[in-house]
């Protein structure tokens, strides 16, 4: 099959790039697994961080891509509930142990031996991908494959970030950074009747936020019109976390939606005093994914995508880094 293969992570501006499209051996489903024919795979900032080595590689070569929609091409032994030709999706969470204390109490996102698509297992920047059947997701019928792909990580983890922030219906919410994940989270927050303040450096993103129902927009350091009940930071910069913390009111929580972040600058204790909170958001549970996909279909959440062939994957990652994509890049093999 054709696949976009990452050999050694490195700067994307290098020539040759750290990833290249080439033929590799077709994967085969093992016990409990499905083989999918990939129809679409959306690009996520985590793919960029894996390609450039911000996240240390766990195996090489590897195939990135963890927002995959496809059709079941083969069913491995001991799989129940999936049949040939069915639509199935693959997200970031590729497997957990199912028995550790966090798995047992419904927090499988924190499992210490969890494995991740595109990091521990090959992902969907390819014509085919293998997924553990019990971690494959079902996509609501209202979304076609291209529209569904960006929901699978940006959407699901953005939803978890809203839950972690503790925002309540009708509350004042801040979103810091306004890429793919935030553009989905704002639609959920508006559906909950929240008043949303969006902070971003990009004038284009501020315009998009207003079109999606933001009540106010500004620079990262500009205080919102009223103190926020909760905020979610999407920008991968520690200084933005400190700015969001200054913008939340008493008892407010800042949820950091980032798997990798540079250092958070020192801040005065007064910024945290009055039971303000700072929490990271790690991965998602399958329950988060099911809840979000159901909700996304009911709202219905709209995704903006830029469709590109698999061969343009490196270009898509470069443009994600530069912030010049029109919507979420979705690679089609
Ligand atoms: Zn576990
Ligand atoms: Zn992701």
């Amino acid at each position: 099959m054709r696949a976009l293969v990452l050999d050694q992570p490195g700067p994307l501006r290098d020539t040759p790039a750290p990833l290249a499209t080439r033929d590799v051996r077709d994967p085969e489903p093992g016990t409990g697994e499905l083989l999918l024919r990939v129809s679409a795979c959306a690009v996520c900032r985590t793919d960029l961080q894996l390609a450039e080595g911000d996240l240390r590689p766990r195996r090489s070569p590897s195939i990135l891509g963890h927002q995959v929609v496809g059709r079941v091409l083969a069913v491995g032994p001991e799989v129940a509930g999936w049949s040939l030709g069915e639509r199935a999706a693959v997200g970031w969470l590729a497997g957990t142990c199912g028995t550790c204390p966090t798995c047992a109490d419904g927090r499988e996102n924190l499992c210490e031996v969890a494995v991740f698509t595109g990091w521990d297992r090959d992902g969907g920047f390819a014509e085919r991908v293998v997924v553990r059947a019990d971690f494959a997701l079902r996509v609501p019928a209202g979304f076609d494959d291209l529209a569904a792909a960006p929901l699978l990580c940006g959407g699901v983890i953005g939803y978890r970030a809203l839950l972690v922030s503790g925002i309540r219906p009708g509350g004042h919410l801040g979103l810091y950074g306004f890429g793919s994940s935030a553009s989905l989270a704002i639609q959920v927050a508006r559906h909950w009747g929240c008043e949303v303040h969006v902070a971003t450096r990009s004038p284009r993103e501020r315009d998009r936020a207003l079109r999606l129902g933001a009540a106010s927009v500004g620079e990262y350091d500009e205080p919102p019109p009223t103190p926020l009940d909760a905020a979610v930071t999407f920008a991968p910069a520690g200084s933005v976390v400190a700015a969001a913390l200054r913008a939340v009111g008493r008892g407010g929580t800042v949820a950091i939606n980032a798997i990798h972040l540079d250092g958070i600058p020192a801040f005065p204790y007064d910024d945290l005093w009055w039971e303000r909170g700072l929490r990271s958001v790690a991965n998602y549970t399958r329950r988060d994914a099911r809840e979000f996909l159901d909700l996304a279909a009911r709202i219905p959440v709209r995704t903006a995508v830029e469709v590109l062939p698999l061969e343009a994957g490196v270009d898509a990652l470069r443009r994600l880094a530069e912030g010049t994509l029109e919507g979420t890049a979705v690679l089609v093999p």
Side-chain angles (χ1 to χ4, degrees), residues 42-47 65-67 91-92 117 152-155 157 257 259 284:
V43 179
C44 169
R45 184 164 292 278
T46 303
D47 296 314
H66 56 270
Q67 307 192 83
W92 173 241
T117 310
L152 295 164
C153 180
I157 296 184
N257 183 348
I259 187 170
Y284 62 83

Short mmCIF file of all heavy atoms in Angstrom, two decimals, residues 42-47 65-67 91-92 117 152-155 157 257 259 284, ligand 2:
data_model
loop_
_atom_site.label_atom_id
_atom_site.label_comp_id
_atom_site.label_asym_id
_atom_site.label_seq_id
_atom_site.Cartn_x
_atom_site.Cartn_y
_atom_site.Cartn_z
N ALA A 42 -7.66 13.08 8.86
CA ALA A 42 -7.40 14.49 9.15
C ALA A 42 -6.07 14.65 9.86
O ALA A 42 -5.62 13.77 10.58
CB ALA A 42 -8.53 15.08 9.99
N VAL A 43 -5.45 15.81 9.65
CA VAL A 43 -4.14 16.12 10.22
C VAL A 43 -4.35 16.89 11.52
O VAL A 43 -5.17 17.81 11.58
CB VAL A 43 -3.32 16.97 9.22
CG1 VAL A 43 -1.97 17.33 9.80
CG2 VAL A 43 -3.15 16.20 7.90
N CYS A 44 -3.59 16.52 12.55
CA CYS A 44 -3.71 17.13 13.88
C CYS A 44 -2.36 17.71 14.27
O CYS A 44 -1.32 17.27 13.78
CB CYS A 44 -4.13 16.05 14.87
SG CYS A 44 -4.04 16.51 16.60
N ARG A 45 -2.38 18.69 15.17
CA ARG A 45 -1.12 19.29 15.62
C ARG A 45 -0.19 18.25 16.24
O ARG A 45 1.03 18.38 16.16
CB ARG A 45 -1.40 20.42 16.61
CG ARG A 45 -0.17 21.17 17.07
CD ARG A 45 -0.52 22.50 17.72
NE ARG A 45 -1.07 23.44 16.76
CZ ARG A 45 -0.33 24.19 15.94
NH1 ARG A 45 0.98 24.12 15.96
NH2 ARG A 45 -0.91 25.01 15.09
N THR A 46 -0.75 17.22 16.84
CA THR A 46 0.09 16.17 17.42
C THR A 46 0.89 15.45 16.33
O THR A 46 2.02 15.02 16.57
CB THR A 46 -0.79 15.18 18.21
OG1 THR A 46 -1.51 15.92 19.21
CG2 THR A 46 0.03 14.11 18.90
N ASP A 47 0.32 15.32 15.13
CA ASP A 47 1.08 14.72 14.02
C ASP A 47 2.32 15.56 13.73
O ASP A 47 3.40 15.05 13.46
CB ASP A 47 0.22 14.64 12.75
CG ASP A 47 -0.97 13.71 12.92
OD1 ASP A 47 -0.77 12.60 13.45
OD2 ASP A 47 -2.08 14.09 12.52
N GLY A 65 -1.06 9.86 11.78
CA GLY A 65 -2.47 10.01 11.36
C GLY A 65 -3.40 9.30 12.33
O GLY A 65 -3.43 8.07 12.37
N HIS A 66 -4.17 10.08 13.13
CA HIS A 66 -5.03 9.45 14.12
C HIS A 66 -6.44 10.02 14.11
O HIS A 66 -7.11 10.05 15.13
CB HIS A 66 -4.39 9.56 15.51
CG HIS A 66 -4.09 10.97 15.92
ND1 HIS A 66 -2.90 11.58 15.65
CD2 HIS A 66 -4.85 11.89 16.56
CE1 HIS A 66 -2.93 12.81 16.11
NE2 HIS A 66 -4.10 13.04 16.66
N GLN A 67 -6.88 10.48 12.93
CA GLN A 67 -8.27 10.90 12.76
C GLN A 67 -8.74 10.26 11.45
O GLN A 67 -8.86 10.93 10.44
CB GLN A 67 -8.40 12.42 12.69
CG GLN A 67 -7.73 13.14 13.87
CD GLN A 67 -8.10 14.62 13.94
OE1 GLN A 67 -9.15 14.98 14.49
NE2 GLN A 67 -7.27 15.48 13.40
N GLY A 91 -9.32 6.81 16.27
CA GLY A 91 -8.88 8.03 16.94
C GLY A 91 -7.50 7.84 17.57
O GLY A 91 -6.78 6.89 17.28
N TRP A 92 -7.14 8.74 18.46
CA TRP A 92 -5.82 8.77 19.09
C TRP A 92 -5.63 7.59 20.05
O TRP A 92 -4.59 6.95 20.08
CB TRP A 92 -5.68 10.12 19.79
CG TRP A 92 -4.49 10.34 20.65
CD1 TRP A 92 -4.52 10.62 21.99
CD2 TRP A 92 -3.11 10.37 20.27
NE1 TRP A 92 -3.24 10.80 22.45
CE2 TRP A 92 -2.36 10.66 21.42
CE3 TRP A 92 -2.44 10.17 19.06
CZ2 TRP A 92 -0.97 10.76 21.42
CZ3 TRP A 92 -1.05 10.27 19.05
CH2 TRP A 92 -0.33 10.56 20.22
N THR A 117 -2.47 5.87 18.47
CA THR A 117 -2.39 5.71 17.02
C THR A 117 -1.36 6.68 16.44
O THR A 117 -1.41 7.87 16.73
CB THR A 117 -3.77 5.98 16.39
OG1 THR A 117 -4.76 5.22 17.09
CG2 THR A 117 -3.80 5.61 14.92
N LEU A 152 -12.49 13.53 15.15
CA LEU A 152 -12.03 12.35 15.88
C LEU A 152 -10.96 12.65 16.91
O LEU A 152 -10.85 11.95 17.90
CB LEU A 152 -11.54 11.29 14.89
CG LEU A 152 -12.70 10.76 14.02
CD1 LEU A 152 -12.17 10.01 12.82
CD2 LEU A 152 -13.62 9.88 14.85
N CYS A 153 -10.16 13.69 16.71
CA CYS A 153 -9.23 14.08 17.77
C CYS A 153 -9.53 15.51 18.20
O CYS A 153 -9.86 15.77 19.35
CB CYS A 153 -7.77 13.94 17.33
SG CYS A 153 -6.63 14.41 18.63
N GLY A 154 -9.46 16.44 17.25
CA GLY A 154 -9.74 17.84 17.57
C GLY A 154 -11.09 17.99 18.26
O GLY A 154 -11.23 18.72 19.24
N GLY A 155 -12.09 17.31 17.75
CA GLY A 155 -13.44 17.41 18.30
C GLY A 155 -13.55 16.74 19.66
O GLY A 155 -14.01 17.33 20.64
N ILE A 157 -11.23 15.62 21.83
CA ILE A 157 -10.39 16.12 22.92
C ILE A 157 -10.80 17.54 23.31
O ILE A 157 -10.76 17.92 24.47
CB ILE A 157 -8.88 15.97 22.58
CG1 ILE A 157 -8.58 14.47 22.46
CG2 ILE A 157 -8.00 16.61 23.66
CD1 ILE A 157 -7.13 14.10 22.22
N ASN A 257 -5.36 22.23 26.73
CA ASN A 257 -5.54 21.19 25.72
C ASN A 257 -4.26 21.10 24.89
O ASN A 257 -4.17 21.67 23.81
CB ASN A 257 -6.74 21.54 24.84
CG ASN A 257 -7.04 20.47 23.82
OD1 ASN A 257 -6.23 19.56 23.61
ND2 ASN A 257 -8.19 20.55 23.19
N ILE A 259 -0.72 18.31 24.33
CA ILE A 259 0.07 17.16 24.75
C ILE A 259 1.52 17.58 24.96
O ILE A 259 2.28 16.93 25.67
CB ILE A 259 -0.06 16.02 23.71
CG1 ILE A 259 0.61 14.72 24.19
CG2 ILE A 259 0.49 16.41 22.37
CD1 ILE A 259 0.32 13.53 23.33
N TYR A 284 -8.45 10.97 25.71
CA TYR A 284 -9.90 10.92 25.89
C TYR A 284 -10.28 9.49 26.27
O TYR A 284 -9.45 8.59 26.15
CB TYR A 284 -10.63 11.35 24.61
CG TYR A 284 -10.36 10.46 23.41
CD1 TYR A 284 -11.08 9.28 23.22
CD2 TYR A 284 -9.39 10.77 22.47
CE1 TYR A 284 -10.82 8.45 22.12
CE2 TYR A 284 -9.13 9.96 21.38
CZ TYR A 284 -9.86 8.80 21.22
OH TYR A 284 -9.59 7.97 20.15
ZN1 LIG B 2 -4.73 14.69 17.63
#
